[in-house]
């Protein structure tokens, strides 16, 4: 979803609004408007504005030649015709090379067939509340009317859109509406735009931007989808049809948010690390997901999905786990919410992760070993899917990362997005700016990273950095750097990158951190990487261990080895003193003691 800020006329206010980087801005060339740009409006000022914001010239029943002369000076990206212009007017201006937005005032009896003659000439149709003065009334019209819109030309919604209305719209968006046009509701005195309101509206829409929400079939660009066995199709379809309804239900949100607060311990602190900042430069903040109940971010999603399963009237929960972190989070949520819980785990992992196995058992979960193949995570996943097929009606499968068939990646991202929601608020309180310059997270399947990135995706102020597990080195054959090495393929129900041989066999990944040891990657990260919206890097086992020990020594925080991968990117950055970095500390390192202790012996 994009935002157009319309009705700008004052040069200082224009400059200020544009620094918030709206998608489009509009200038009104209608002398009767209270927001008329006036006769001295300067084309040079407009030409110097950043290219990333598109400019729209707005006219009402204006003389064609006058529009052409204005357009010659200002070179607007779009011309918006807000009066009774005819299809011929649009055709004429389009033939002069202009891109056309045709506006219509909507009232109860709006007849969409009147648009047909405009179709060949218009790039967008804009719908505004019908008023005698051509818009600017601050009134909304009943948007539901647009559900009946029969054409493919994309839409701009206008009329009385402020923060509250934008939020309402985003909660139940209307197909074909691509741009929300905000004007009077974002103003303070003298029709100047209020920058806080502008920023707030942009923050709201950024989370829906940039393909961060998959399309109806679950694709982020070319990645994603839902490749499931026919037997499971009804379950997955049920989830696809229902998840947004439940997630948007205020009652569900209340219950979820209450548990995040009183049970998980949210909001987690955003800790300014003076010591890391002194060491690496910049201003380094740690988002303390390690302080969540059960020691990592995974509980956010486990509670969300188990609540959803109850709403779908499922009786049993199943899940797979590798290192045991997701298994523990799921067993915890099931104990709390009174659900029967079975966890599938590779036989090898059961031996390697004994304490987590016991934790799950203590909370009443049943552990089923996967004894086929390499007897690790991917075999446990296969086993869980088999169990689901055998019992599809009353069983809910909790997936622990931003992977799997649609809608799992989107659902997990939404449950974890509380991380970036909090970062925005906390960073704003601490520094006055809501968006950091850099945001770093480790990348296993991608749930902590997408949660930390969610509200910043598409925000040009923030460079998103995802750190994969390089293992012994990306070219060593013992690595989990999926995006660095991966080829496109299908794994666990979605199209994404995975590490595979030339004939498509999955290569057993390696990482010192069990939680990053996964041969695929969530489809949203494949997309963010392919589109350049996030930068993907990798660090080795050795670098991650060094970063873990360093944080323990510098700040008295022992991070999970997964999270240490994100920290291990800090030495590779050259930070300026003013630059703000947030590292998502996805979990705590107590579970990694056995791996870390031998490294103490190597220290001099
Ligand atoms: C599971 C886990 C990860 C990796 O999973 P993602 O889905 O990529 O977040 C990272 N950190 C911790 C602490 C974990 O438990």
């Amino acid at each position: 979803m994009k935002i157009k800020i319309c009705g700008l006329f004052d040069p200082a206010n224009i400059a200020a609004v544009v620094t918030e980087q709206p998608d489009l801005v509009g200038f009104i060339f209608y002398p009767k408007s209270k927001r008329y740009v006036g006769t001295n409006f300067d084309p040079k000022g407009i030409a110097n504005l950043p290219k990333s914001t598109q400019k729209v010239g707005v006219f009402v029943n204006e003389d064609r030649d006058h529009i052409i002369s204005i357009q010659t000076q200002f070179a607007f990206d779009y011309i918006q015709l807000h009066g009774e212009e005819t299809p011929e007017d649009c055709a004429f201006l389009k033939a002069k090379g202009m891109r056309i937005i045709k506006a219509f005032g909507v009232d109860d009896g709006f007849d969409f067939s009147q648009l047909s003659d405009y179709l060949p000439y218009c790039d967008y149709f804009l719908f505004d509340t019908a008023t005698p003065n051509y818009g600017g009334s601050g009134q909304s019209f009943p948007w539901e009317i647009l559900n009946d819109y029969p054409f493919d030309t994309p839409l701009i919604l206008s009329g009385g859109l402020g923060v509250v209305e934008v939020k309402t719209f985003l909660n139940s968006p209307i197909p074909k509406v691509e741009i929300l046009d905000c004007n009077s509701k974002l103003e303070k005195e003298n029709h100047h735009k209020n920058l806080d309101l502008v920023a707030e509206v942009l923050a709201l829409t950024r989370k829906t931007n940039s393909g961060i929400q998959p399309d109806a079939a679950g694709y982020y660009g070319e990645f994603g989808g839902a490749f499931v066995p026919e037997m499971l199709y009804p379950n997955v379809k049920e989830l696809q049809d229902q998840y947004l309804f439940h997630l948007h239900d205020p009652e569900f949100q209340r219950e979820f948010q209450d548990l995040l607060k009183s049970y998980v311990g949210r909001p987690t602190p955003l800790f300014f690390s003076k010591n890391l900042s002194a060491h690496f430069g910049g201003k380094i903040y740690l988002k303390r997901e390690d302080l969540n109940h059960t020691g990592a971010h995974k509980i956010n999603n486990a509670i969300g999905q188990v609540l959803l399963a109850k709403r779908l009237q499922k009786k049993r929960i199943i899940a797979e786990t590798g290192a045991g972190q997701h298994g523990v989070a799921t067993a915890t949520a099931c104990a709390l919410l009174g659900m029967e819980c079975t966890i599938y785990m590779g036989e090898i992992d059961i031996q390697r992760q004994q304490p987590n196995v016991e934790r799950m058992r203590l909370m009443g979960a049943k552990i089923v070993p996967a004894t086929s193949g390499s007897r690790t995570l991917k075999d446990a996943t296969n086993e869980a899917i088999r169990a689901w097929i055998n019992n599809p009606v009353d069983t809910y499968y909790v997936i622990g990362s931003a992977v799997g068939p649609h809608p799992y990646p989107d659902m997990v991202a939404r449950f974890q997005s509380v991380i970036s929601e909090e970062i925005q608020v906390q960073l704003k309180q601490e520094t006055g700016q809501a968006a950091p310059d850099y945001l770093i997270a480790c990348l296993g399947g991608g749930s902590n990273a997408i949660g930390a990135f969610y509200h910043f995706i598409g925000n040009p102020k923030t460079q998103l950095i995802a750190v994969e597990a390089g293992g012994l080195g990306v070219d060593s054959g013992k690595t989990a750097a999926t995006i660095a090495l991966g080829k496109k393929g299908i794994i666990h129900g979605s199209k994404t990158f995975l590490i595979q041989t030339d004939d498509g066999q999955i290569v057993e990944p390696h990482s010192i951190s069990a939680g990053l040891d996964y041969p695929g990657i969530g489809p949203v990260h494949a997309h963010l990487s392919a589109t350049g919206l996030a930068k993907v890097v990798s660090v080795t086992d050795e670098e991650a261990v060094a970063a873990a020990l360093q944080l323990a020594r510098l700040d008295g925080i022992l991070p999970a080895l997964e999270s240490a991968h994100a920290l291990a990117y800090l030495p590779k950055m050259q930070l300026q003193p003013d630059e703000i970095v947030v590292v998502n500390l996805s979990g705590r390192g107590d579970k990694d003691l056995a791996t870390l202790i031998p490294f103490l012996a190597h220290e001099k």
Side-chain angles (χ1 to χ4, degrees):
M1 196 61 57
K2 294 183 178 178
I3 290 285
K4 171 171 174 265
I5 307 289
C6 202
L8 299 174
F9 58 92
D10 173 72
N13 194 232
I14 293 170
V17 165
V18 167
T19 59
E20 297 295 334
Q21 300 173 320
D23 304 285
L24 304 95
V25 285
F27 307 102
I28 299 174
F29 286 79
Y30 177 49
K32 287 188 191 155
S33 167
K34 292 176 212 145
R35 302 168 185 85
Y36 176 44
V37 293
T39 45
N40 295 324
F41 200 54
D42 180 16
K44 277 207 288 303
I46 300 303
N48 288 335
L49 297 175
K51 296 265 176 294
S52 54
T53 295
Q54 296 193 301
K55 292 104 198 158
V56 182
V58 181
F59 301 89
V60 176
N61 300 329
E62 187 55 77
D63 178 63
R64 290 177 183 179
D65 289 333
H66 187 60
I67 296 179
I68 291 170
S69 121
I70 297 278
Q71 176 63 2
T72 313
Q73 300 169 56
F74 285 87
F76 289 122
D77 297 286
Y78 293 97
I79 296 298
Q80 179 176 322
L81 303 175
H82 217 101
E84 271 89 46
E85 296 83 1
T86 61
E88 292 71 37
D89 292 325
C90 296
F92 178 84
L93 294 171
K94 187 169 180 74
K96 299 283 174 195
M98 295 174 216
R99 292 196 285 174
I100 310 292
I101 299 169
K102 178 68 189 91
F104 297 89
V106 178
D107 47 27
D108 289 345
F110 193 79
D111 174 11
F112 287 108
S113 69
Q114 63 184 288
L115 303 176
S116 336
D117 292 341
Y118 289 90
L119 287 170
Y121 314 115
C122 295
D123 297 275
Y124 285 97
F125 292 131
L126 180 150
F127 289 107
D128 195 359
T129 312
T131 62
N133 303 322
Y134 304 105
S137 66
Q139 298 295 310
S140 301
F141 65 90
W143 306 326
E144 310 84 75
I145 296 173
L146 300 184
N147 280 317
D148 298 329
Y149 171 70
F151 304 113
D152 287 329
T153 302
L155 301 182
I156 304 177
L157 178 62
S158 188
L161 295 178
V163 173
V164 173
E165 292 76 13
V166 167
K167 206 179 266 180
T168 306
F169 180 85
L170 293 174
N171 275 334
S172 57
I174 292 174
K176 311 267 169 65
V177 173
E178 290 186 359
I179 301 176
L180 300 179
D181 187 33
C182 300
N183 190 343
S184 61
K185 283 254 167 96
L186 303 187
E187 288 176 349
K188 44 179 186 178
E189 69 284 1
N190 308 330
H191 305 299
H192 286 61
K193 297 295 183 277
N194 176 321
L195 293 188
D196 286 339
L197 294 178
V198 169
E200 210 172 320
V201 158
L202 288 169
L204 282 175
T205 54
R206 278 197 176 113
K207 65 180 156 186
T208 68
N209 280 352
S210 315
I212 193 56
Q213 284 180 347
D215 67 17
Y219 280 88
Y220 301 88
E222 62 171 309
F223 303 102
F227 300 83
V228 293
E230 207 169 309
M231 291 282 289
L232 289 180
Y233 183 74
N235 283 48
V236 171
K237 181 81 172 70
E238 175 190 31
L239 209 50
Q240 290 174 356
D241 290 345
Q242 301 220 21
Y243 81 110
L244 283 181
F245 171 79
H246 291 293
L247 262 60
H248 287 150
D249 180 347
E251 192 49 48
F252 180 90
Q253 280 301 330
R254 207 167 307 129
E255 203 176 349
F256 180 49
Q257 300 298 339
D258 275 354
L259 288 176
L260 289 183
K261 188 165 162 222
S262 60
Y263 184 75
V264 175
R266 304 206 70 93
T268 59
L270 183 69
F271 168 65
F272 173 59
S273 171
K274 244 188 249 164
N275 297 327
L276 280 181
S277 305
H279 204 85
F280 294 116
K283 298 196 171 76
I284 300 174
Y285 289 84
L286 303 178
K287 180 61 175 161
R288 300 287 311 273
E289 291 301 292
D290 59 314
L291 293 178
N292 284 325
H293 180 46
T294 69
H297 67 288
K298 289 208 174 66
I299 190 78
N300 302 326
N301 167 63
I303 288 192
Q305 286 198 44
V306 175
L307 278 178
L308 180 65
K310 287 189 80 138
R311 287 211 151 202
L312 297 173
Q313 290 169 15
K314 304 291 178 184
K315 301 278 175 292
R316 308 171 53 234
I317 296 293
I318 58 171
E320 88 293 333
T321 195
Q325 293 301 103
H326 171 54
V328 168
T330 305
T332 303
C334 287
L336 173 72
L337 297 166
M339 293 289 265
E340 190 188 314
C341 178
T342 307
I343 303 291
Y344 294 83
M345 195 167 179
E347 209 169 31
I348 301 272
D349 288 334
I350 290 181
Q351 289 157 16
R352 288 196 290 206
Q353 309 290 341
Q354 202 58 37
N356 275 341
V357 174
E358 302 312 344
R359 282 166 89 188
M360 291 185 265
R361 288 210 175 107
L362 284 168
M363 289 184 286
K366 184 174 153 209
I367 314 294
V368 176
T371 53
S372 64
S374 57
R375 294 175 289 156
T376 57
L377 177 62
K378 78 176 163 49
D379 312 290
T381 306
N382 293 337
E383 212 55 58
I385 289 176
R386 212 163 295 147
W388 200 17
I389 290 177
N390 287 337
N391 217 329
V393 179
D394 65 357
T395 301
Y396 182 95
Y397 183 12
V398 179
I399 294 185
S401 190
V403 301
H406 175 63
Y408 282 100
D410 184 44
M411 194 159 60
V412 174
R414 286 168 186 265
F415 287 138
Q416 294 292 1
S417 70
V418 62
I419 302 172
S420 67
E421 200 174 304
E422 289 175 8
I423 293 174
Q424 280 187 317
V425 175
Q426 293 168 324
L427 199 63
K428 174 112 190 178
Q429 271 167 7
E430 284 277 322
T431 69
Q433 75 182 65
D437 297 294
Y438 301 94
L439 182 43
I440 312 177
C442 68
L443 202 52
S447 69
N448 90 88
I450 198 64
F453 291 176
Y454 204 78
H455 296 277
F456 301 107
I457 291 168
N459 184 341
K461 283 184 182 161
T462 304
Q463 162 90 74
L464 304 173
I465 301 172
V467 186
E468 296 194 297
L472 302 186
V474 170
D475 301 319
S476 67
K478 293 194 83 61
T479 180
T482 311
I483 290 185
L485 286 182
K487 305 188 199 85
K488 288 172 202 170
I490 290 170
I491 182 170
H492 299 149
S494 73
K495 183 180 171 199
T496 182
F497 288 117
L498 56 143
I499 309 181
Q500 54 185 322
T501 61
D502 288 338
D503 48 1
Q505 293 299 314
I506 290 168
V507 176
E508 196 65 28
H510 162 82
S511 165
I512 193 165
S513 79
L516 302 183
D517 199 350
Y518 178 68
I521 181 69
V524 65
H525 289 289
H527 173 69
L528 293 179
S529 164
T531 52
L533 285 164
K535 175 168 149 178
V536 180
V537 298
S538 67
V539 305
T540 62
D541 287 351
E542 204 179 327
E543 290 167 325
V545 168
L549 296 177
Q550 183 179 41
L551 187 70
R553 299 283 160 84
L554 278 179
D555 272 338
I557 299 171
L558 185 61
L561 276 170
E562 291 83 0
S563 323
H565 283 72
L567 294 164
Y569 191 66
L570 289 170
K572 304 179 186 232
M573 303 174 82
Q574 259 106 45
L575 292 167
Q576 301 302 315
D578 286 343
E579 286 183 319
I580 295 174
V581 185
V582 174
V583 180
N584 194 41
L585 209 67
S586 54
R588 68 177 85 125
D590 309 32
K591 67 185 179 61
D592 296 315
L593 286 182
T595 312
L596 284 169
I597 287 165
F599 287 89
L600 285 174
H602 300 305
E603 286 192 325
K604 297 196 185 71

